[in-house]
Amino acid sequence: MKKKLFGLAALAVVAVSLAACGGGNSKTDESKTAGSDKESSVLKVGASASPHAEILEQVKPILKKEGIDLEIVQFDDYILPNKNLAEGDIDANYFQHIPYFNLQVKENNYDFANAGGIHIEPMGLYSKRIKDIKDLKDGATIITSNSESDWGRIITILQDADLVTVKDSVDLETATFEDIDKNPKNLKFIHNINPEVLTTTYNNDEADLVAINANFAYSAGLNPLKDSVLLEKDNSPYVNIVAVRSEDKDSDKIKKLVDALHSKEIQDWILEKWDGSVKPVDK
C-alpha cells in the first residue's frame, strides 16, 4: 500500500513538473511565437529626413499590403545610420550614395551589401553673393563638407564649369583638393564642416559658394534645379542606395522594400514631388 501511495505521489510530482515545463509553456510559447511573428513583420529603415524618409512614407502602404510594417528611423547625420545598421538596431538604411557607402565599408570594415540603387540627388553649389557663375571673383572662397567621398564630386562640378582641372590619371570619383592641377581664379577651399551644417553656412553667407548635399538643401527649402549656381550633371555615379547587412541582402522583406521603391507609382511620385530634381533609378 505504501509503495502504491509513493508511486502515485511520484507520478503527481512528475505531472506537476511536466505541467510547468510543457503545459505551462504552451501559452508562453504561443505568446513568444505571436510576438516573434509580429516582430518579424516589422522592417526598421534608417533614413535622412528628406527626401529619403519622405519617399519611405509613400512606400508604407505598399509594404503593408505585403504584410510588412515599415518603421522609419530618421537621422540628421551621416555616421549613425551605418553604425546603427552594423549594430543591428535597424534592418537597412537609405541615405547614402555609392562612393560614400564604399568608403565607409572600407574604413570601418562593415559587412554591408548594396541592396539596390533608388535615386540620384544632384549636388549643387549655392551662393548669396552671385546669381551667375561668371560673376565669381578671383580668390573666391568655396566651402564644402568634411565628407571626403563628396570632394571628387564637387571637383567634377567645378571642372565641368572650367574653374579647375585635375592632374592627369586622377580618378575624379576619389579626387581630393590636392589633386587640382590648374586653378586660374585662385579659388580657396574650406572643407572641415559637417554636411548637416552647410545650410547654416550658406544662410550666414560665410563663403562665395557653398556645396550642399541635396537632402540637406531640400530640408532648408532649397531646390537644386532652381536655386544652385552650379549643378551636377545627369551622368552622376552618386546613386543613393538601400544598404543592408550582407546576411540580409536576399531577405524577402528587403527585396519587397526595393521592389516597392522601384515601382512606377513611387518613381512617378518622386519626379512630381521634387520637380525632377530627384531622379529615380531602377537598379
Side-chain angles (χ1 to χ4, degrees):
M1 183 68 176
K2 287 183 178 179
K3 286 184 179 179
K4 188 177 286 187
L5 287 172
F6 179 79
L8 289 171
L11 285 173
V13 171
V14 171
V16 171
S17 298
L18 287 174
C21 296
N25 266 355
S26 62
K27 289 186 179 179
T28 304
D29 289 345
E30 285 174 10
S31 66
K32 278 184 178 179
T33 302
S36 176
D37 288 344
K38 184 177 180 181
E39 186 178 335
S40 67
S41 72
V42 175
L43 181 64
K44 295 178 71 172
V45 180
S48 297
S50 181
H52 308 81
E54 293 175 78
I55 295 171
L56 289 173
E57 284 290 347
Q58 300 302 308
V59 169
K60 270 187 176 181
I62 298 175
L63 292 182
K64 189 70 175 177
K65 292 177 183 177
E66 298 281 349
I68 298 171
D69 294 315
L70 178 60
E71 182 178 331
I72 303 166
V73 182
Q74 289 194 27
F75 293 91
D76 59 6
D77 78 321
Y78 285 169
I79 304 301
L80 287 177
N82 280 332
K83 188 172 184 291
N84 280 207
L85 179 60
E87 292 173 353
D89 296 326
I90 55 178
D91 302 304
N93 67 45
Y94 172 38
F95 79 100
Q96 61 192 323
H97 55 60
I98 292 174
Y100 182 78
F101 169 82
N102 290 337
L103 184 63
Q104 288 295 297
V105 167
K106 180 180 178 181
E107 289 185 347
N108 297 284
N109 199 30
Y110 288 138
D111 188 11
F112 288 173
N114 173 355
I118 309 302
H119 74 266
I120 296 173
E121 301 170 24
M123 169 78 78
L125 278 76
Y126 302 80
S127 178
K128 287 190 173 289
R129 302 178 187 180
I130 61 172
K131 296 294 183 183
D132 193 311
I133 197 63
K134 293 177 183 176
D135 298 326
L136 189 66
K137 295 179 180 179
D138 189 271
T141 300
I142 299 177
I143 292 181
T144 79
S145 80
N146 55 11
S147 178
E148 189 173 337
S149 63
D150 278 334
W151 293 351
R153 188 179 193 181
I154 295 160
I155 291 168
T156 300
I157 297 171
L158 295 172
Q159 180 167 271
D160 288 341
D162 297 323
L163 291 172
V164 301
T165 62
V166 298
K167 300 170 185 174
D168 291 341
S169 75
V170 169
D171 181 354
L172 280 171
E173 193 171 300
T174 57
T176 71
F177 295 102
E178 293 179 357
D179 294 317
I180 291 176
D181 182 25
K182 295 180 182 178
N183 181 6
K185 279 188 174 288
N186 301 303
L187 303 175
K188 299 172 184 176
F189 297 96
I190 298 173
H191 45 79
N192 58 358
I193 298 175
N194 288 346
E196 63 271 19
V197 182
L198 288 169
T199 52
T200 301
T201 300
Y202 163 75
N203 286 326
N204 290 342
D205 192 18
E206 296 179 27
D208 297 278
L209 289 172
V210 182
I212 306 175
N213 298 81
N215 58 309
F216 293 120
Y218 299 134
S219 297
L222 295 170
N223 183 315
L225 288 181
K226 298 175 182 178
D227 299 320
S228 64
V229 177
L230 285 176
L231 187 66
E232 186 173 29
K233 291 186 176 179
D234 286 345
N235 60 351
S236 167
Y238 293 83
V239 177
N240 281 235
I241 64 171
V242 171
V244 298
R245 292 181 293 277
S246 295
E247 65 198 57
D248 296 327
K249 184 181 180 182
D250 296 321
S251 80
D252 188 52
K253 287 192 293 185
I254 296 299
K255 285 183 176 180
K256 286 179 178 178
L257 169 65
V258 173
D259 286 345
L261 287 165
H262 284 164
S263 67
K264 187 176 186 302
E265 174 187 347
I266 296 301
Q267 295 202 336
D268 286 349
W269 182 87
I270 292 171
L271 287 170
E272 183 178 351
K273 170 71 175 177
W274 286 282
D275 298 323
S277 65
V278 179
K279 305 175 189 304
V281 300
D282 57 9
K283 59 183 178 179

